Amino acid sequence: MISDVLLPMSAGGSTPDFTVRALDLSVIIAYLVLSRIIPLVAQSRMKKKAKAGGKETDESEDYFLGGRNFLWPFVGLSLVATNMSGATFVGLAGGAYEQGISIFAYEWMSAVILVIFIFFILPFYLRSKVFTLPEYLEQRYDRRSRMAFAGFNLFANMFIDMAAALFAGAVVVKVLYPDVPMLVSVAVLALLAAVYTVIGGLGAVIISDSIQATVTLIGGVIVLIATFNAVGSWDAVTEAAGEERMSLILPADNPDLPWPGLITGVLVIGLYYWTTNQLVVQRTLGAKSLDHGRWGSLLAGFIKLAFLFLFILPGVMALAIYPELDDPDTVFPTLVFDLLPVGVRGLILAAVIAAITSTVDSILNSASTIVTMDFVKTLRPDTSQRGLVFSGRVATVVALVVAIAWAPFIAQFDTLYEYLQSVLSFLVPPVVAVFLVGIASKRISATAAFVTLVVVQPLGLLAFILTQVVPEEPTIQFLYAAGLSLALSVVMLVVISILGPSPDESKTKELTWKKDYWTEETAALKGVPVWANYRLISVVLLLTTAGIVIAFA
């Protein structure tokens, strides 16, 4: 009967039927085809329009930074799409099911960090005209720091960011097709993302991200409405979840997210991700101007606040419908197949694929940019523009293969979000220190930056293995470990800098903070309309963030 095909199972009944119907499959295929064609066609037209208008860019700048011509809506949506990944649907819902809405800390903290980024960090990045953040370190410090950080970026791209995104997609595929090996699922998802990344570069990625962010957000709205309708009332949600799962601020002895960890860990991880990670910052490096970079970042901040309702609360609501799921990371596909009709399921699955591929394509472009600009161009400066682009494409394929091989190993962690936050807590604090302290103080030397990176990061990796992987239970809460690592990094930076000679002024003059910058900008902003004044919009974003945190504290 038609009703048997079009209507979902009753919520809370037997195990959902995870069969992908013909209509679902048609929607998914149509999406996959269109989402690969549209970005390439649109990018081609944009390039022709730019040439017709007399704007010429280097082939490498066009491929890796889209000609530095992105308007703020594209910057903002691309930032969100890159961040959403498969971990948004799968990881946030699973994490919320297991530990409650407290995982929203990573989202609301992002809004605060993006404000810090556009006020104090982004201006220096755009002033330096760099392709990559390792290149920025060479301008601020020296080539040693550039190479050390470039190497870490490649490691993080392949073993943390891309592997996690592919694993999240494989979790969904495993639910739908249990007999398909995870390695096969990962490989297929990776190839889907690689198609337009290899061909079109960042220009195609930005356009694709904008489309996919929109689709993903629509998918989140649909799942939220369907889940709440299945639960029936807010009281049923709070009763099933309990007081602790419905609180953003948890006790200091909480094993998952103790409140001091918001400062010692969540803030540190967020500063790395939003201000020093090539994967994310590359979107703002391609902005048409500083204003477009700032407005796009603010748009991303407002959308991040909506994640509480679109991706986290459905995971908490699921406690009232499925109180005894064995694997938290299967919450999202269970909601989709149990609560949504055929056809709509296909749209949501397309949104998941959008989230996964948008992150993977961004990571691939980031990795290829670093390999090309930080290694190939640095070691072989005479390489032609065409040769640089070819090197980037080869690097994309290699990074893809490595991530495909590593992704299945993530399964040993309880949840995807636990893997991401734990490993970052041990590895990124020295990066945050080197960038931010280097911008804040002209006294920090090149030797101090290099030593901090090459000493503290390997120690962090060793500590991660010894405290999180080897023992049956972690021997230190990872958010506290991040704070300890940051403190060690700052001490090393300061002490080594004081003991050595002062840096050359040519390395610090334009790339360290001065009060004059603020005074000059204040004068320039007089008379600027309210809607265009990034400072006023930033205040609105911070007040909105504070309101949500207080409401759910």
Side-chain angles (χ1 to χ4, degrees):
M1 296 177 62
I2 293 177
S3 60
D4 292 335
V5 177
L6 295 181
L7 297 178
M9 294 176 54
S10 59
S14 58
T15 303
D17 178 10
F18 289 117
T19 303
V20 179
R21 307 291 183 183
L23 183 57
D24 292 324
L25 194 58
S26 299
V27 172
I28 295 171
I29 292 173
Y31 168 78
L32 290 177
V33 173
L34 290 174
S35 64
R36 266 99 202 118
I37 294 175
I38 292 174
L40 294 174
V41 172
Q43 186 209 19
S44 177
R45 290 181 177 178
M46 288 173 62
K47 288 171 67 175
K48 290 178 181 178
K49 185 177 180 180
K51 288 183 179 179
K55 183 175 180 179
E56 295 290 337
T57 58
D58 292 338
E59 186 175 352
S60 59
E61 184 175 62
D62 188 65
Y63 184 80
F64 294 113
L65 289 180
R68 300 183 193 268
N69 201 38
F70 296 124
L71 302 178
W72 66 268
F74 292 97
V75 173
L77 288 172
S78 184
L79 284 171
V80 172
T82 300
N83 172 251
M84 279 197 287
S85 78
T88 300
F89 280 121
V90 178
L92 282 181
Y97 184 90
E98 184 173 60
Q99 71 181 67
I101 66 171
S102 60
I103 63 169
F104 182 58
Y106 295 99
E107 313 307 316
W108 69 257
M109 190 69 79
S110 297
V112 176
I113 291 166
L114 282 166
V115 172
I116 297 173
F117 174 61
I118 64 175
F119 270 79
F120 303 109
I121 302 170
L122 180 60
F124 296 102
Y125 288 166
L126 295 185
R127 185 178 292 127
S128 66
K129 295 289 184 184
V130 296
F131 278 81
T132 70
L133 295 187
E135 184 182 357
Y136 173 83
L137 284 189
E138 180 172 12
Q139 290 194 20
R140 172 59 182 87
Y141 297 114
D142 61 13
R143 181 163 293 184
R144 295 175 301 169
S145 295
R146 175 179 185 173
M147 292 304 185
F149 184 55
F152 169 73
N153 254 271
L154 286 177
F155 173 86
N157 282 169
M158 292 182 290
F159 291 96
I160 302 175
D161 301 315
M162 187 162 25
L166 293 174
F167 175 79
V171 168
V172 177
V173 174
K174 193 69 175 175
V175 171
L176 306 181
Y177 301 103
D179 295 332
V180 176
M182 178 172 285
L183 193 59
V184 174
S185 303
V186 167
V188 171
L189 291 168
L191 291 175
L192 288 173
V195 170
Y196 52 84
T197 310
V198 174
I199 298 172
L202 187 63
V205 169
I206 289 281
I207 296 168
S208 172
D209 283 354
S210 299
I211 296 170
Q212 303 197 96
T214 303
V215 172
T216 307
L217 292 172
I218 291 172
V221 171
I222 293 172
V223 173
L224 170 66
I225 294 172
T227 306
F228 186 74
N229 286 340
V231 174
S233 70
W234 184 249
D235 289 339
V237 175
T238 55
E239 182 179 349
E243 184 177 346
E244 185 168 295
R245 278 198 177 100
M246 292 302 297
S247 177
L248 284 179
I249 309 299
L250 300 179
D253 60 352
N254 184 274
D256 297 313
L257 214 164
W259 70 261
L262 295 175
I263 304 301
T264 63
V266 175
L267 178 61
V268 176
I269 296 171
L271 283 169
Y272 160 75
Y273 186 84
W274 291 103
T275 72
T276 70
N277 187 353
Q278 176 72 22
L279 163 66
V280 176
V281 177
Q282 189 165 346
R283 275 97 201 101
T284 56
L285 295 181
K288 187 174 184 179
S289 67
L290 177 57
D291 278 337
H292 281 278
R294 280 171 163 163
W295 296 334
S297 299
L298 288 170
L299 173 62
F302 280 107
I303 295 176
K304 288 290 288 179
L305 294 182
F307 278 25
L308 172 63
F309 307 97
L310 300 182
F311 306 116
I312 293 174
L313 283 178
V316 176
M317 292 177 188
L319 288 163
I321 312 173
Y322 323 103
E324 297 181 358
L325 284 180
D326 293 332
D327 184 358
D329 282 336
T330 63
V331 169
F332 173 74
T334 300
L335 288 172
V336 170
F337 277 84
D338 200 18
L339 304 182
L340 300 180
V342 174
V344 177
R345 296 175 186 176
L347 176 64
I348 304 302
L349 291 175
V352 175
I353 295 173
I356 296 163
T357 56
S358 64
T359 297
V360 175
D361 65 37
S362 301
I363 299 167
L364 289 174
N365 189 261
S366 169
S368 66
T369 304
I370 289 173
V371 168
T372 304
M373 294 300 172
D374 293 312
F375 290 107
V376 176
K377 190 175 182 179
T378 299
L379 300 175
R380 300 179 62 186
D382 296 331
T383 305
S384 66
Q385 293 291 313
R386 187 176 298 274
L388 291 174
V389 172
F390 176 76
S391 299
R393 287 173 173 151
V394 172
T396 298
V397 175
V398 174
L400 201 61
V401 171
V402 173
I404 289 171
W406 174 252
F409 289 94
I410 299 175
Q412 67 176 300
F413 290 85
D414 291 338
T415 66
L416 178 60
Y417 234 65
E418 178 187 333
Y419 166 75
L420 288 172
Q421 308 311 326
S422 180
V423 69
L424 288 175
S425 294
F426 284 86
L427 294 181
V428 303
V431 175
V432 173
V434 165
F435 272 89
L436 272 61
V437 179
I439 289 175
S441 172
K442 64 181 182 181
R443 185 65 181 83
I444 303 301
S445 68
T447 297
F450 175 70
V451 172
T452 300
L453 288 175
V454 299
V455 171
V456 182
Q457 280 195 316
L459 286 177
L461 179 59
L462 179 62
F464 171 72
I465 294 171
L466 295 179
T467 66
Q468 310 293 310
V469 178
V470 174
E472 293 184 5
E473 293 292 334
T475 55
I476 183 174
Q477 216 289 334
F478 59 85
L479 296 175
Y480 292 149
L484 293 173
S485 179
L486 180 68
L488 173 62
S489 300
V490 172
V491 169
M492 286 188 67
L493 281 171
V494 173
V495 171
I496 296 174
S497 296
I498 291 175
L499 294 177
S502 298
D504 188 335
E505 188 177 348
S506 64
K507 290 284 186 182
T508 61
K509 185 176 181 181
E510 297 298 325
L511 298 179
T512 52
W513 177 258
K514 300 180 183 67
K515 186 179 178 181
D516 292 345
Y517 292 147
W518 182 266
T519 305
E520 292 169 2
E521 186 181 72
T522 300
L525 286 172
K526 288 183 179 179
V528 172
V530 172
W531 58 266
N533 189 325
Y534 83 94
R535 291 187 183 178
L536 294 178
I537 301 172
S538 297
V539 171
V540 173
L541 176 58
L542 292 176
L543 290 175
T544 304
T545 304
I548 292 175
V549 172
I550 292 171
F552 285 92

